[in-house]
Amino acid sequence: MDPSEHDGNGAPEAGNGAPEAGNGAGDGAPEALPPPPPVPPNVTPIKASEPEVKKVFRVPMARRGLGTRGNKVPILTNHFKVNVNKVDGFFFHYSVALFYEDGRPVDGKGVGRKVLDRVHETYDTELAGKDFAYDGEKSLFTVGALPRNKLEFTVVLEDVTSSRNNGNASPGGHGSPNETDKKRLRRPYQSKTFKVEISFAAKIPMQAIANALRGQESENSQEALRVLDIILRQHAARQGCLLVRQSFFHNDPNNFADVGGGVLGCRGFHSSFRTTQSGLSLNIDVSTTMIIRPGAVVDFLIANQNAKDPFSLDWAKAKRTLKNLRVTTSPTNQEYKISGLSEKSCREQTFTLKQKSKDGDGEFQTTEVTVYDYFVNHRNIDLRYSADLPCINVGKPKRPTYFPVELCNLVSLQRYTKALSTFQRASLVEKSRQKPQERMSVLSKALKINNYDAEPMLRACGVSINSSFTQVEGRVLPAPKLKVGNGEDLFARNGRWNFNNKKFVNACKIERWAVVNFSARCDVRGLVRDLTRVGESKGISVEEPFDVFEENQQYRRAPPMVRVEKMLEDMQSKLPGPPKFLLCLLPERKNCDIYGPWKRKNLSDFGVVTQCLAPTRVNDQYLTNLMLKINAKLGGLNSVLANEMSPSIPMVSKVPTLILGMDVSHGSPGQSDVPSIAAVVSSRQWPSISRYRACVRTQSPKVEMIDSLYKRVSDTEDDGIMRESLVDFYISSGKRKPDQIIIFRDGVSESQFNQVLNIELSQIMEACKFLDENWSPRFVVIVAQKNHHTKFFQPNSPDNVQPGTVIDNKVCHPRNYDFYLCAHAGMIGTTRPTHYHVLLDEVGFSADDLQELVHSLSYVYQRSTTAISVVAPICYAHLAATQLGQWMKFEDASETSSSHNGAGPGGAPPVPPMPKLQENVRNSMFFC
């Protein structure tokens, strides 16, 4: 039925949905309604809206064909072929509910697996001898049905030290650590008896796996694969592993690497089942998670705070760090969860101790004792250093249970979830690197150790796993030819090139500039001389700087904002006019806290491009790299693609094409109130694909979809990101609108592909329509993923795969259009390919042309003389989001604290807006 035949309520069109006059009420039709009331004079009637045309729901496109260009090479990959010889059965899904004896639901994590293992041992016959896969929470799966749809069991656990549960249970006594541990377990809340209800929820045909392999994915196929993944998780849990999503970590000190700050990198394995063109495969990879250093609590705190000894610790900070961590206490080795610290020191903190003897009234007598006195005199435990430190509280707020710090040891395999410092991250990268050959042997060993063929559930599903790496066909695309100054060609070898004796293709001028030195120790005049020499050798003409502004010594210890303000005041009083460029010397190499406020002041308040450096080891190579950035920021270009100059890039050079890179960066895991930052970079001056500008906005914390691409503020105004990009493209490309828009989106998982197509792309289309009703550009949407677990290896070679290696067969998706590309040379560790998913292509690229375009876009990154691992527009979006994230970090404290109290819509704090860039730097590559 045509939508216009119906109004919104599905009533036939006629006045108010009443039968038209003249039908007469006599023929069984309802009587006509009375006429509507008159409209009051001060009210303008709202026009009834047109019936809404149903929105198109877009899904990712299917693969159109395979690429053929490039040198064919054999490649091995860490996918292991899985055979499933049972396709006619069903997985049965049951929901699990656990209760204590008194009917209270069990909320503690970690006890579930123990309880269900006990159910399995005790009630084997009632379960008809079936094995099950339990996810540790509320779901359980079997192959074939259990005897009844609802089963209830009661089991007893002798020892509930799944202390994960202990932490939630209330410890005994009135804050006294004296009642014996056995007594503690007899308390009702820690009852050893559990009731288990297992009830039927759904049935999943195993056929769904076979359908997924034919490219017919459904809800069922996702569920069926989830069951297989849960079987692997359960297998790992039974070996005492820490489970983190699809990865598991054994408690083996050989797998621990200290990265500083009391944090260890713990190496384990990722494993997941994937549907691919060549069938089902098990993807196994090395994986690392961060854990707290096990052992004495005090040792961990000293390392964590970089303190000299226990007496110089910041205990307020320690309290936050320790909360909810699990410890064992000596000498009993009981396990608890830390709930806090005592207010007073161990020597002063008292609690009420019950005496062993009764008084005349038959009541137990009580006395007040200090924790120190109790452990030293009543339990005869020698305490060396705890007397003047706070005690660890493992009890409830109303009912504390204290232990001296030195009797507490942190349990192994507890995750550390805070953000790592720059130094920890560098240390982790260095310690977790593995050469390709080493990684292959570790993975082969993992497959042997796990011995999945012996796993009864997998056997019941008829699943067997091949132990050899899957071989695929790779193709090595030739590196694109680059152009530099004076029309010279530049050839990249092994993904790298250099500017020795070469000039930049488009060199800027460094004029009206000055140097500011925030107390970095170095010969500034010598640095300027060398920078001028290197710049001129690349074709950049460098004027004498106006002056070198040294920081006034009295401000060196001041807060970062103050140091920046004072420096700018000093400059403004002496400079003849606003500078065009500032070179800024920072005192620390990493994490210098002047960086954010300095960038913000200059770009947002004054519109001045700046380049920061921390002059440690300065040589010509360093200065050349610095020049690459300065030239790009000031509007120059270092090198370009040859076929960008001649313009001959297939499908892009002949038709005005806008290229976008989009990314959202979130605060670190522990920060829930830090706004997320969305960055969109867009190409300008078509037919160039090497020049970009960025637009950055804040949005609600942890929101992955960009919500400000189109922001209509009135009938004539759109304040969204896209409008800015489209208008700039039009102005910079000779008054041409883009007929094609190619979008590269970073950082979304497969489950979010539909949102990218239906939320973000729809906003972009609306922004285009808002500018011009009759303009309909064609779109290409490509998602780039870096955090996946597919790796490639050259057979019988210790080296990484060659730069330019593309793979679109065997281990790719059975239906969707995806490919892997290793554009860069993996110099250290094992290359991580970028996984590109083409969600939409209205332009009609061939597989070869599209792969070549993506490969070329890894060569236009102006900051380096190497091919990079992901297309340049995405890298630029990262840089822009990171840099402006630094601005937000140092927002005036009063602004942010007040905004956190005033709630925004839905009770969430309002998101502080991103400061706007000054007009004259808005279109520059300030993020380079």
Side-chain angles (χ1 to χ4, degrees), residues 93-98 106-113 116 133-140 164 196-197 226 230 233:
H93 176 190
Y94 294 87
S95 53
V96 176
L98 302 179
V106 174
D107 53 357
K109 274 203 163 76
V111 76
R113 286 191 192 275
L116 275 134
Y134 172 54
D135 71 352
E137 305 219 344
K138 295 192 164 52
S139 293
L140 175 150
R164 289 192 175 205
V196 183
E197 289 178 6
R226 194 179 130 223
I230 287 170
R233 282 173 61 85

Side-chain angles (χ1 to χ4, degrees), residues 77-79 283 285 788-792 811 820 831-833:
T77 165
N78 58 341
H79 284 241
N283 176 205
D285 193 20
H788 55 82
H789 287 278
T790 297
K791 299 285 191 301
F792 297 116
V811 290
Y820 291 93
T831 300
R832 176 176 292 192

Side-chain angles (χ1 to χ4, degrees), residues 66 125 291 372 400-401 431 520 538 547 693 742 775-776 810 827:
L66 300 175
T125 43
I291 60 170
Y372 181 80
T401 302
K431 291 181 173 167
K538 301 287 163 265
D547 200 355
R693 65 174 318 269
I742 301 176
W775 168 44
S776 298
K810 276 202 172 163
M827 304 312 281

Side-chain angles (χ1 to χ4, degrees), residues 67 69 649-652 817 844-856:
R69 281 181 212 153
I649 300 171
M651 317 291 281
V652 172
Y817 185 177
F845 278 94
S846 69
D848 279 322
D849 283 347
L850 194 62
Q851 288 168 8
E852 210 143 273
L853 173 66
V854 170
H855 186 223
S856 297

Side-chain angles (χ1 to χ4, degrees), residues 488-682:
E488 280 187 69
D489 286 333
L490 185 62
F491 296 96
R493 287 191 181 71
N494 195 24
R496 310 171 78 78
W497 59 94
N498 66 46
F499 276 101
N500 296 350
N501 312 321
K502 300 262 191 296
K503 293 197 171 358
F504 292 152
V505 69
N506 184 336
C508 66
K509 261 196 169 119
I510 299 182
E511 54 191 2
R512 293 203 359 233
W513 70 292
V515 182
V516 297
N517 181 11
F518 283 101
S519 308
R521 291 191 189 85
C522 82
D523 165 15
V524 183
R525 300 280 166 200
L527 179 72
V528 170
R529 213 172 33 247
D530 290 342
L531 194 63
T532 305
R533 173 177 54 78
V534 169
E536 308 223 308
S537 73
K538 301 287 163 265
I540 290 180
S541 75
V542 186
E543 276 183 6
E544 270 293 298
F546 176 81
D547 200 355
V548 174
F549 294 93
E550 295 284 351
E551 182 170 37
N552 184 332
Q553 291 306 309
Q554 73 186 76
Y555 299 122
R556 273 182 66 180
R557 299 262 175 278
M561 288 298 271
V562 175
R563 293 175 72 179
V564 168
E565 298 271 358
K566 292 295 179 195
M567 178 65 88
L568 289 167
E569 280 169 24
D570 184 31
M571 276 172 38
Q572 278 163 330
S573 65
K574 294 176 185 159
L575 285 176
K580 278 192 169 174
F581 172 67
L582 291 172
L583 187 70
C584 170
L585 277 54
L586 299 176
E588 300 99 41
R589 251 191 81 211
K590 293 274 190 235
N591 285 356
C592 181
D593 53 10
I594 296 171
Y595 180 86
W598 172 256
K599 286 282 185 192
R600 178 181 165 176
K601 272 295 201 198
N602 279 291
L603 291 168
S604 172
D605 295 1
F606 302 117
V608 177
V609 174
T610 75
Q611 175 62 52
C612 295
L613 75 155
T616 39
R617 294 187 297 277
V618 176
N619 54 21
D620 278 12
Q621 181 60 57
Y622 180 92
L623 293 172
T624 301
N625 287 346
L626 204 63
M627 269 302 164
L628 292 173
K629 296 176 173 188
I630 294 172
N631 190 40
K633 283 178 180 169
L634 291 175
L637 277 179
N638 306 325
S639 59
V640 295
L641 300 169
N643 62 1
E644 180 182 4
M645 281 185 93
S646 60
S648 57
I649 300 171
M651 317 291 281
V652 172
S653 298
K654 299 286 178 270
V655 180
T657 303
L658 170 66
I659 297 175
L660 300 176
M662 307 190 344
D663 184 35
V664 177
S665 76
H666 306 289
S668 51
Q671 307 169 300
S672 54
D673 57 350
V674 174
S676 290
I677 296 177
V680 176
V681 306
S682 53

Side-chain angles (χ1 to χ4, degrees), residues 696-716:
V696 183
R697 302 279 173 97
T698 46
Q699 57 185 41
S700 301
K702 306 280 182 274
V703 171
E704 186 50 64
M705 289 299 122
I706 301 179
D707 63 12
S708 48
L709 292 164
Y710 172 63
K711 234 188 182 153
R712 187 167 167 174
V713 281
S714 74
D715 283 354
T716 53

